Amino acid sequence: MEKTDLASRFVDLVQTKKSFEDIKYWTWSEMLIALKQCQESPSLKNSSIMLKKCIDLLSQKISLADGASSSASSVNSSRFRSSCDSKSTESLKTNYASTTWWFEDLLFFSTECLEMFVQSMVSHEFDQVLLSKFLIHFQKSKFYNATSDVKMKVIESVIDMLDTLDENVVSLKALFDILRVSLGLNINKGSKNRLEAMIGSKLGHATLDNLLVPSPYGANYLYDVNLVLRLFKAFLSGGINQASPSQLAKAANLMDSYMAEVAPDPCLKSSKFLALAKVIPDSARKSYDEMYYAIDLYFEMHVGTSEEEKEKLCCALNHKKLSYEVRIHLSKNPKFPAKSTPPSPESQQPEAENLLQNINYSKSLISWPHNLTEGINSDEKEDKSSEQIVLYHGKFNLPADNEKFKVHLEGMQWRVLELEKLCRKMQNQMRKILKSRVASSYCQVKSLPKLCS
């Protein structure tokens, strides 16, 4: 069969609506040649029906080969013995044993054919993880010696196709690689938004290195803060209840680390830094300690920040979620405005000590028994009752944000209660000793008349 006749024969089959009985027995090489001619011929490339049918047959062959690749017979199958670049038999065996054997053969695809191919492969329920790897390989291969316009068109098509796949099949690293490549290209807004949305959905698994993307050309700040803000907004776009608590906590920690990294940038405006601080909702944060240190670093590196700007940044801190040590540091930090500095927790310690002195010990102490001659059963009941501990029900009159000092105060109270418990045990022991001595004295007194007689 002449190679130049493959495309025309294929067109005849389509136009006459014949079945694909003849085409499906074509070799892999013949299919590729026919597809290239359909794609390149001016008279045929506008016929999307022909291209779609040809690509659909190609997808079926790949699916069949992929399904049969685990068996030894698939290597010697007559349908896959030939290739468009005259590979040797040994190289064919190696390629067909691998799941990526068809990657290099399809690099001639135009972006239109690529979209048809991906749609066809998805309809055949092909492995989407492998399909995503092909798209990334296609993008990298097409970028060699390509013009900016070609690169822009290829990466837009790859992004759009990746977006049609399941969100779990594409790795976060691969998406960030595509993002970094696309930053130097003027890709359309729709593709850019789709890429950022895909990255945002996986942001709970990102690292600090992923976020340190250089600023766009011509910008005077170091890192692309606006991009990071968009990614975090995409992460939260589905609602805070959609992400798991662990993902929210990781996202909050990631933002704290990013803020500390960009804080020394002398060109970073306080409004952008404030936007970073506020993008994560308060309910997602368990602690504000790391954010405090990031803001402290920003104030240290931006000595010209006005008091008004400092107060706005300090409003992003939730003092109730600062540790005891950080609140002590904040109360003595001259870089922070006085209006936003809470009173030192150390100044509240005398008030707590006064509360301890006002605890009524008389209610918890056990009075001495008046009747030491009660039976043993009553002593046992008293011993059991003495084990009961009555907690202090008074309320600590401390500020609501002094949680750690409350815990310390409650610990002291528990130690007092332990001492009371020990005191009760000692009282019981003394009571038993006294009873024993009284009983002994009573017996001696009772035996005196007999001795006297």
Side-chain angles (χ1 to χ4, degrees):
M1 181 187 302
E2 293 294 333
K3 294 182 179 180
T4 54
D5 297 332
L6 290 174
S8 59
R9 286 188 60 191
F10 180 75
V11 173
D12 293 338
L13 288 171
V14 173
Q15 289 176 344
T16 57
K17 300 181 179 180
K18 283 185 60 177
S19 65
F20 295 125
E21 291 297 324
D22 293 337
I23 302 177
K24 70 181 182 180
Y25 291 113
W26 285 7
T27 64
W28 175 257
S29 176
E30 291 170 342
M31 284 295 303
L32 293 179
I33 293 172
L35 185 56
K36 284 181 181 179
Q37 292 178 356
C38 287
Q39 178 179 280
E40 296 171 0
S41 176
S43 60
L44 299 175
K45 65 181 181 180
N46 294 327
S47 178
S48 59
I49 297 178
M50 285 186 288
L51 279 175
K52 187 174 181 181
K53 288 185 180 295
C54 190
I55 288 173
D56 190 59
L57 287 171
L58 193 72
S59 301
Q60 290 180 28
K61 284 186 174 290
I62 295 175
S63 299
L64 288 172
D66 184 70
S69 62
S70 58
S71 63
S73 61
S74 63
V75 176
N76 297 320
S77 175
S78 61
R79 287 179 294 179
F80 304 110
R81 285 180 183 172
S82 299
S83 179
C84 59
D85 55 357
S86 302
K87 295 184 178 71
S88 66
T89 304
E90 287 301 319
S91 104
L92 276 174
K93 290 181 179 180
T94 303
N95 285 335
Y96 286 124
S98 170
T99 56
T100 61
W101 61 268
W102 47 276
F103 279 20
E104 292 295 327
D105 290 342
L106 304 186
L107 293 181
F108 69 89
F109 274 166
S110 64
T111 54
E112 293 81 5
C113 286
L114 178 69
E115 294 175 4
M116 291 182 185
F117 174 73
V118 172
Q119 292 170 0
S120 178
M121 295 293 275
V122 171
S123 66
H124 285 95
E125 298 182 353
F126 190 77
D127 183 7
Q128 293 195 9
V129 174
L130 187 57
L131 193 55
S132 67
K133 291 181 179 179
F134 167 69
L135 287 171
I136 295 169
H137 177 75
F138 183 88
Q139 175 260 313
K140 291 180 179 179
S141 300
K142 283 289 189 178
F143 268 40
Y144 291 122
N145 300 322
T147 63
S148 297
D149 292 339
V150 171
K151 290 180 179 179
M152 182 177 64
K153 195 173 182 180
V154 167
I155 204 165
E156 287 176 352
S157 181
V158 168
I159 292 172
D160 294 345
M161 290 299 99
L162 287 174
D163 190 47
T164 63
L165 304 181
D166 188 275
E167 63 177 10
N168 296 318
V169 303
V170 189
S171 68
L172 185 63
K173 180 182 180 303
L175 291 175
F176 268 109
D177 288 342
I178 294 175
L179 174 66
R180 291 175 185 272
V181 172
S182 66
L183 291 177
L185 302 170
N186 188 25
I187 65 173
N188 64 66
K189 188 175 181 180
S191 297
K192 182 173 70 173
N193 291 341
R194 279 188 282 275
L195 178 59
E196 292 177 359
M198 284 189 284
I199 295 176
S201 65
K202 299 174 179 288
L203 203 60
H205 305 287
T207 63
L208 178 60
D209 289 338
N210 294 142
L211 298 185
L212 296 179
V213 179
S215 61
Y217 178 77
N220 54 0
Y221 46 90
L222 295 177
Y223 298 108
D224 197 342
V225 176
N226 292 325
L227 170 65
V228 172
L229 286 171
R230 293 196 302 270
L231 293 180
F232 273 89
K233 289 177 181 178
F235 172 71
L236 299 168
S237 61
I240 191 171
N241 295 325
Q242 185 173 343
S244 65
S246 61
Q247 288 180 330
L248 289 171
K250 288 180 180 178
N253 293 335
L254 182 62
M255 175 52 72
D256 291 340
S257 300
Y258 184 77
M259 290 179 65
E261 191 70 25
V262 300
D265 184 358
C267 297
L268 183 61
K269 296 181 179 179
S270 62
S271 58
K272 291 296 180 183
F273 198 69
L274 177 62
L276 292 172
K278 287 187 172 182
V279 71
I280 297 292
D282 176 76
S283 57
R285 290 186 179 276
K286 296 181 179 179
S287 172
Y288 277 76
D289 288 5
E290 295 302 320
M291 183 189 288
Y292 164 75
Y293 290 123
I295 294 177
D296 183 48
L297 180 59
Y298 184 84
F299 288 162
E300 182 177 353
M301 301 303 297
H302 297 76
V303 292
T305 306
S306 66
E307 289 296 309
E308 182 181 358
E309 291 173 328
K310 287 184 176 182
E311 289 176 5
K312 288 181 179 180
L313 281 172
C314 290
C315 288
L317 290 173
N318 185 347
H319 293 166
K320 295 180 181 179
K321 293 185 179 181
L322 292 175
S323 66
Y324 178 78
E325 291 79 7
V326 168
R327 289 201 299 270
I328 292 291
H329 190 275
L330 173 59
S331 64
K332 300 177 180 179
N333 195 336
K335 295 190 290 290
F336 281 69
K339 293 181 180 180
S340 62
T341 304
S344 172
E346 291 179 339
S347 64
Q348 300 164 1
Q349 188 170 357
E351 181 182 355
E353 292 176 350
N354 292 333
L355 286 174
L356 276 178
Q357 295 175 1
N358 293 330
I359 295 178
N360 188 1
Y361 292 100
S362 61
K363 291 183 180 180
S364 59
L365 293 176
I366 299 177
S367 59
W368 287 91
H370 297 289
N371 188 1
L372 297 177
T373 60
E374 292 181 357
I376 298 177
N377 292 334
S378 63
D379 285 340
E380 292 177 352
K381 293 180 180 179
E382 290 174 359
D383 291 343
K384 292 180 180 180
S385 64
S386 66
E387 297 295 330
Q388 297 177 357
I389 299 177
V390 180
L391 297 178
Y392 175 66
H393 294 286
K395 294 183 178 180
F396 295 105
N397 187 22
L398 294 177
D401 62 341
N402 202 353
E403 296 294 336
K404 185 168 183 179
F405 193 72
K406 284 184 179 181
V407 173
H408 178 67
L409 189 59
E410 290 173 358
M412 294 173 62
Q413 183 182 354
W414 274 106
R415 289 194 289 272
V416 171
L417 293 175
E418 289 296 323
L419 289 174
E420 292 176 1
K421 183 177 178 180
L422 180 61
C423 181
R424 293 189 185 96
K425 290 183 179 180
M426 293 176 62
Q427 290 173 359
N428 290 334
Q429 292 176 359
M430 293 178 65
R431 184 163 53 244
K432 290 179 181 179
I433 293 173
L434 288 174
K435 284 179 64 177
S436 177
R437 290 182 178 179
V438 169
S440 178
S441 300
Y442 176 75
C443 291
Q444 291 176 2
V445 172
K446 192 173 182 181
S447 62
L448 282 177
K450 294 181 180 180
L451 293 174
C452 293
S453 62

